[in-house]
Amino acid sequence: MTKTSFPKFRHHVLSLSSFTSMSSRTTSVVTIAGIAALSIVAYAVYFDYKRRNDVDFRKKLKKDKKRVDKSIASSKASLPPDSSAVSADELREALEQVKAEQVPASPEQKEAYFMAQVASGEQLSLKGPMFSLPAALAFYRALRVYPSPVELMVIYQKTVPEPIFKLVIELTNLDVKDRVEGYYLKFPPKSFGVKVETRKVGDISKKALVLTKDVKAGEVIYKEFPIVAALDSDLHAAGTHCSHCLRSVEPSMSIKPPESPALETIYCSVACQSAAKIEHHNLLFTLERPLPQEIPLDPITPEKLDERRKAQAQFATYLKTEALGHAAPLLVARFVARQVNFEMSKLISSTSTKTTTISDQTDFTDADGGDYLLADHFERLRYVDVNLPKNGMNLLTEVLNSAMPGLDALVTDERYATLLGKMAYNAYGVFYNGGRDDKPLTNDRPEDIERTRIPLGTSRQIGSAVYTVSSYLAHSCEPSARPSFDAGTSQVHLIATRDLKAGEELTVAYVDVTQHEGESVVDCRRRRRMELARGWKFACPCERCEREGKELGVSSDENMEDASKVEKSLERFEANEGAL
Ligand SMILES: C[S@@+](CC[C@H](N)C(=O)[O-])C[C@H]1O[C@@H](n2cnc3c(N)ncnc32)[C@H](O)[C@@H]1O
């Protein structure tokens, strides 16, 4: 095979070089990164996300594979007999070896690496069947750094000899499978003393959080920081709590940044102020550069600055009016911004020797050396449909685009709805010292009130927070654990309510399950079950509900039915179950 047999490929190689360096070999890495800032973000956040998680991409890959397998089968007769004779073990070993290799991080290094690997693949594929695997590995290495792997696969399919292409496909499938199946081997980190197990309840698969160690009543099982958190809307303006860690602060001791007129924020410390700025605040609510100093941006004109100011003001007004009482839109905005910055920090860490302005952002619970992205964690959480004013998404994309044109690709209609649903479904209410009792009353219908998991009831929370590990905790009216916020911040401590053995499922109360003074067993049971049905769309099957049902003389079949009449409204939901 000669280089001229790669016409399309070469075209793409060219587009890769323009993507990374605009052909300016003399410019510094820093300038290259600046020119390509948007593309880098797109590469990191979008394409990489797609490659690892996107169902359509995996479907396409499968389709491509079928097509390729078919054409390979039909041309097999003309192939030398042992041309693709690579055992599964050899393939696995080779993949492990490639995965252990460090992938270059800077755009220029990526480009050089890509070119070198393609050239090596070309040369090796000329050497005959003995070199099929080394050739495939070279093409596979190139694929790992190419911004649009699907596109490159299609090019490979047309240009790489069939047995070698088949090996590239097999390596890719093996890698995708490893990542999908390997996730729960790496997450949660072993130190948490818990693991995620899949359990069947009827036809539906549920994930359960299970202990891997014995614990005593009152013991802290683990502590966890949130991925994102937000104060309740009315507390933003009150200036009584830190906008980042949700700690209570004396107004005279708080830090009030001058640069955030759009959304009021105060901080309890310089550390919280800079963490919030880095993770999301700069991008969403300030006119400061949205990217770290290492990455130069196009000059910002006064008109562009004005557009950005307006977009932020409109989004902040939306949060304070239409979306009042709903934390999900702000949580989504912060999550998207955090994702952009998180991926950016990974990318620039090896392009610069300077001290970066990006923190390592490891304060949420990540996988144990599993090389999973923030998106990998979030993709696996379940969601529920939420009904919120549509223009929230447009206002958010305007904010993102006014900071960095093109970022709207990260927030499509479908993705925005899913993110909202995940926030609403997985958020915990943050409370300490018994929670607040001064929350303004709302006239919203019970179905429209955003609920968080909090044993005291959502009205007593100061804010909402979403966690990676704790999202997997199921509800029980007789929970084996309880969330506590003893640090006086959004860091959750999960505490055992009784002595527990390894292998037991951990559960928490999503709602207030205590029988209040003057409340009958029947009324307490009905109240809990109604809240669970309206807020979390399930008829509680816990032992307490069952036991009390029996004591109350409800027959076994009727056990899950009562005056809450939740079952009918749940049928539709369960038919469209949002689990991933
Ligand atoms: C945020 S998810 C909790 C994560 C859950 N453990 C899972 O399956 O991944 C909340 C949903 O889990 C389900 N769920 C939680 N506790 C449950 C329980 N005790 N019985 C049945 N479904 C439950 C309900 O559908 C609820 O709406």
Side-chain angles (χ1 to χ4, degrees), residues 476-478 498 540-549 559-560:
S476 168
C477 297
E478 239 166 13
R498 50 181 184 257
C540 185
C542 79
E543 283 177 20
R544 178 173 165 194
C545 281
E546 192 159 331
R547 193 176 60 240
E548 290 179 352
N559 205 15
M560 292 308 140

Side-chain angles (χ1 to χ4, degrees), residues 184 196-197 199 201 204-209 380-384 422 424-428 453 470-477 505-508 510 532 535-542 573-574 577 579:
Y184 289 113
V196 174
E197 272 183 15
R199 299 191 167 175
V201 181
I204 298 167
S205 284
K206 306 269 183 208
K207 296 270 192 291
L209 203 60
R380 285 167 170 83
L381 301 185
R382 299 172 65 194
Y383 70 94
V384 67
K422 289 194 179 204
Y425 213 30
N426 290 288
Y428 278 81
R453 290 186 244 182
S470 301
S471 283
Y472 290 93
L473 286 162
H475 165 87
S476 168
C477 297
E505 176 172 0
L506 290 169
T507 52
V508 290
Y510 286 14
L532 290 167
W536 283 274
K537 315 272 189 275
F538 73 98
C540 185
C542 79
F573 173 78
E574 290 189 353
E577 182 68 30

Side-chain angles (χ1 to χ4, degrees), residues 13 20 33 37 70 82 84 170 173 180 190 223 255 306 310 330 347 373 406 409 438 463 476 496 499 503 542 566 580:
V13 170
T20 50
K70 221 169 138 188
D82 64 344
S84 59
E170 280 176 22
N173 283 349
V180 171
K190 299 271 176 291
K223 297 180 183 178
I255 299 173
D306 205 40
K310 277 190 193 139
L330 181 57
L347 277 160
L373 303 172
D438 58 346
S476 168
D499 289 357
C542 79
V566 300
L580 282 177

Side-chain angles (χ1 to χ4, degrees), residues 8 159 194 273 297 331 363 404 468 507 540 564 568 580:
K8 266 211 149 182
T159 52
V194 294
Q273 181 183 13
L297 289 169
L331 291 172
D363 58 342
M404 226 195 314
T468 49
T507 52
C540 185
S564 60
K568 280 274 169 280
L580 282 177

Side-chain angles (χ1 to χ4, degrees), residues 20 27-37 40 106-108 289 292-297 348 351-354:
T20 50
T27 49
S28 68
V29 173
V30 165
T31 313
I32 291 160
I35 294 163
I40 297 166
S106 79
E108 196 174 58
R289 67 187 339 274
Q293 296 297 334
E294 285 90 335
I295 300 180
L297 289 169
I348 66 160
T351 65
S352 171
T353 49
K354 282 191 233 162

Side-chain angles (χ1 to χ4, degrees), residues 341-360:
N341 283 296
F342 190 75
E343 305 313 333
M344 191 60 82
S345 71
K346 281 191 179 172
L347 277 160
I348 66 160
S349 58
S350 59
T351 65
S352 171
T353 49
K354 282 191 233 162
T355 321
T356 166
T357 49
I358 284 186
S359 74
D360 59 6

